[in-house]
Amino acid sequence: MKLTRAQIKAVDHAVRRGRSTLAVTALAALTLAACGSEQPERPEGQGQSVDAVSARKDAAFVRMLDEVARECPPPGTKRESPATPEGEAPTAPVEPPPGATVEPPPGGAVEPIAPTAGPEAELDARDWCAGVQHEQRVAEAVLQLKQPDPAQVRKVLNGLGYIDERIHDLKQSGAVTRFVIDLRDKGGRLCLDGKANGELTEVEACVAPADGAFSTANIHR
């Protein structure tokens, strides 16, 4: 095929334009590839598996339980009733009336008296000792809430180290918000039963089965 000078120029121009188009296309492809290879930095903790996050929370919860019970007897220790002096008949501890405030005597604090009846009597020495500490720290924190709805109570409990998986039956009935915390650890049976309405907060130890899934239907209040 014969080409005229004008045809040659037209072909040469078309070839150059094609090469230019190819160069632009290649540059765009390289730019897109480079952008794709640069991943934005993720916030700390984002992208971790649910199991890893859950395991970290569980570990922190167990550390909190150990810290609260650090001065308590070892797990499984049986409670011993205080010895009665020879010649004296044993007497049952005098319980204060409901709602009464016990004032410590001058110069010292009141030593908690181990119960001889009721659900707390079923707990071993460690659970009973730890239960006293948990009752106090939870009651004091929840009492600070003027209107303790479930969301606020959950936030306070989480702030104390009690994880959502251990908080049960958190609900409001009228002005009262109720909750139960599963504190079973190292074979123990401890749980807490609480309620608050902004003016009065009651937190008491309860007893759960040592094994199996936690259910408020099976606890001894």
Side-chain angles (χ1 to χ4, degrees):
M1 177 184 292
K2 293 182 179 180
L3 298 176
T4 64
R5 199 178 288 271
Q7 288 175 323
I8 291 174
K9 289 182 178 181
V11 170
D12 182 61
H13 177 70
V15 170
R16 289 183 179 181
R17 185 174 60 184
R19 289 176 179 174
S20 177
T21 301
L22 289 174
V24 172
T25 302
L27 179 61
L30 288 173
T31 302
L32 289 174
C35 291
S37 64
E38 295 180 1
Q39 297 295 333
E41 294 183 1
R42 295 180 176 178
E44 185 178 355
Q46 183 176 343
Q48 295 183 358
S49 70
V50 174
D51 290 341
V53 174
S54 178
R56 189 168 64 250
K57 289 182 178 179
D58 289 343
F61 176 70
V62 171
R63 286 196 300 271
M64 182 271 291
L65 294 182
D66 289 339
E67 177 64 20
V68 171
R70 68 184 183 278
E71 297 182 0
C72 295
T77 303
K78 294 183 179 181
R79 287 208 328 268
E80 296 181 0
S81 301
T84 302
E86 188 176 353
E88 293 185 12
T91 58
V94 178
E95 296 290 340
T101 302
V102 178
E103 295 291 342
V110 173
E111 184 72 19
I113 300 175
T116 57
E120 289 182 298
E122 302 177 29
L123 299 173
D124 63 23
R126 177 185 174 84
D127 274 350
W128 177 78
C129 171
V132 173
Q133 310 304 321
H134 286 290
E135 287 175 12
Q136 182 175 354
R137 71 196 303 263
V138 170
E140 289 179 353
V142 175
L143 187 59
Q144 302 303 315
L145 300 175
K146 295 182 178 179
Q147 295 180 337
D149 58 41
Q152 292 185 53
V153 171
R154 183 182 297 278
K155 183 177 181 180
V156 166
L157 295 179
N158 288 161
L160 292 174
Y162 302 99
I163 57 179
D164 289 338
E165 292 79 4
R166 294 296 191 108
I167 302 172
H168 302 271
D169 268 18
L170 178 57
K171 57 187 178 183
Q172 188 169 7
S173 177
V176 178
T177 294
R178 299 178 178 273
F179 57 92
V180 178
I181 308 176
D182 176 12
L183 296 175
R184 294 178 298 173
D185 181 46
K186 298 178 175 64
R189 303 175 59 192
L190 178 64
C191 59
L192 287 188
D193 184 19
K195 60 181 179 181
N197 63 6
E199 297 180 359
L200 178 64
T201 297
E202 295 182 10
V203 181
E204 298 178 335
C206 55
V207 182
D211 301 318
F214 185 87
S215 172
T216 54
N218 295 330
I219 66 175
H220 184 189
R221 288 179 167 95

